[in-house]
Amino acid sequence: MTTVSRDYPGATPAQWLEGARPHTWANAFAPVLAGTAAAVLAEQADLLRAVLAGLVSWALIVGVNYANDYSDGIRGTDDDRSGPLRLTGSGLVPPKQVKYAAFASFAVAGVAGVILSLLSAWWLILVGAACIAGAWFYTGGKNPYGYRGLGEVAVFIFFGLVAVLGTEFTQTGAVSWRGLGMAVAVGALSSSVNLANNLRDIPTDAETGKITLAVRLGDARTRQLWIGLIVAAVFLTIAMAVGNLATLLGLIAVPLFVLAARPVMGGAKGKALIPVLGMTGRGMLLWSIAMLIGALLNSAA
């Protein structure tokens, strides 16, 4: 019996960075900025805890990106795709190296999360463990929930509710109604980024058996849901201005959302949808920065 070996050309640092998908990092930083804005409004903001929360969130999203790269790659669902480079699917590096990169990222998130939990509430360690498990089993394991149309739900929960309210709680010891509003808004925006990605990949995902929410809904209804998520975030921004008009600064991101909406509403497909991800992510990051600035202005008044 002979063993067939495969040669891997290797990936450059730039390709490893692309594999970490920096265009998705707004999904990690936006909820921390929003949660910190809620803490500022409660006059209990803590810079150290905010930085630790940011490190946890960033390491988690890098980990989930490498985990998706590995799991989708070994299943063959990345063999024909229109998105950014995938390290496993392209055959640049052995799959186990990408898996180790995911585990290393999760380890960073775990260490920072334990420190943050010990500074606030020990039981948050359990929440962190659930986040890491959710990141891995999105596309990993025998029955990944990302293949059952639950990806956007998970993004809404982990990078919306958990990330924003967790950031607020670690700084204030409580959660507020404005923190909840910001959490829902960030969750909607973050889910819209994921949904746009899956909208682009409907044809290839359907062929390979990756049943995402976009595949379940179909092209037209996926586009309608995407618009609904953006509109919900905008309306929440206006609602949160009650008693704090500075919150309206978040509307500065609306032009970016409008630009992102044009390809979606115009029926763009494949690579033409790639700019939607980056534009929505930048809009979400700008929104969260504006919310933090608004909170600081309110506190200074």
Side-chain angles (χ1 to χ4, degrees):
M1 180 177 179
T2 59
T3 300
V4 178
S5 62
R6 178 175 179 179
D7 293 328
Y8 295 93
T12 65
Q15 288 171 326
W16 275 105
L17 178 61
E18 187 176 357
R21 301 174 73 184
H23 68 273
T24 66
W25 292 359
N27 296 56
F29 296 128
V32 175
L33 290 169
T36 301
V40 169
L41 290 172
E43 299 183 350
Q44 296 185 62
D46 186 300
L47 180 59
L48 173 60
R49 298 183 189 195
V51 170
L52 285 170
L55 180 58
V56 171
S57 190
W58 171 77
L60 275 175
I61 205 162
V62 171
V64 77
N65 285 337
Y66 281 137
N68 292 348
D69 187 307
Y70 165 76
S71 297
D72 285 344
I74 62 174
R75 285 189 171 91
T77 54
D78 277 345
D79 290 348
D80 181 21
R81 70 191 303 271
S82 55
L85 171 77
R86 288 297 185 102
L87 297 164
T88 307
S90 64
L92 284 173
V93 296
K96 65 180 181 179
Q97 289 189 12
V98 183
K99 180 171 66 172
Y100 293 158
F103 289 167
S105 300
F106 292 149
V108 171
V111 171
V114 168
I115 296 172
L116 182 58
S117 298
L118 294 177
L119 289 174
S120 50
W122 70 266
W123 51 264
L124 287 174
I125 294 174
L126 302 178
V127 176
C131 290
I132 292 175
W136 175 255
F137 289 109
Y138 173 49
T139 55
K142 294 182 178 180
N143 295 295
Y145 63 83
Y147 283 40
R148 295 175 177 268
L150 297 174
E152 283 73 21
V153 175
V155 168
F156 181 85
I157 292 173
F158 291 119
F159 286 101
L161 301 182
V162 173
V164 175
L165 296 178
T167 298
E168 180 185 16
F169 182 85
T170 56
Q171 296 180 56
T172 68
V175 295
S176 64
W177 73 267
R178 278 201 175 85
L180 179 60
M182 292 184 191
V184 174
V186 170
L189 292 172
S190 194
S191 295
S192 74
V193 175
N194 200 66
L195 190 65
N197 182 72
N198 289 333
L199 172 64
R200 181 198 66 206
D201 292 337
I202 285 178
T204 54
D205 285 345
E207 285 183 9
T208 56
K210 185 177 182 180
I211 310 302
T212 63
L213 180 60
V215 171
R216 289 187 182 277
L217 293 176
D219 186 278
R221 286 190 293 175
T222 298
R223 295 174 192 272
Q224 293 167 4
L225 176 58
W226 188 92
I227 295 297
L229 290 170
I230 298 296
V231 170
V234 173
F235 273 113
L236 278 167
T237 303
I238 296 172
M240 285 186 288
V242 175
N244 180 17
L245 290 178
T247 300
L248 292 175
L249 282 175
L251 297 179
I252 196 174
V254 169
L256 288 177
F257 297 146
V258 172
L259 288 175
R262 287 179 177 175
V264 177
M265 297 179 68
K269 297 181 182 293
K271 291 183 178 180
L273 286 167
I274 293 177
V276 176
L277 281 71
M279 196 68 68
T280 308
R282 286 191 289 274
M284 176 171 55
L285 186 60
L286 177 60
W287 177 89
S288 62
I289 292 171
M291 296 299 275
L292 179 57
I293 292 174
L296 290 169
L297 290 175
N298 181 76
S299 296

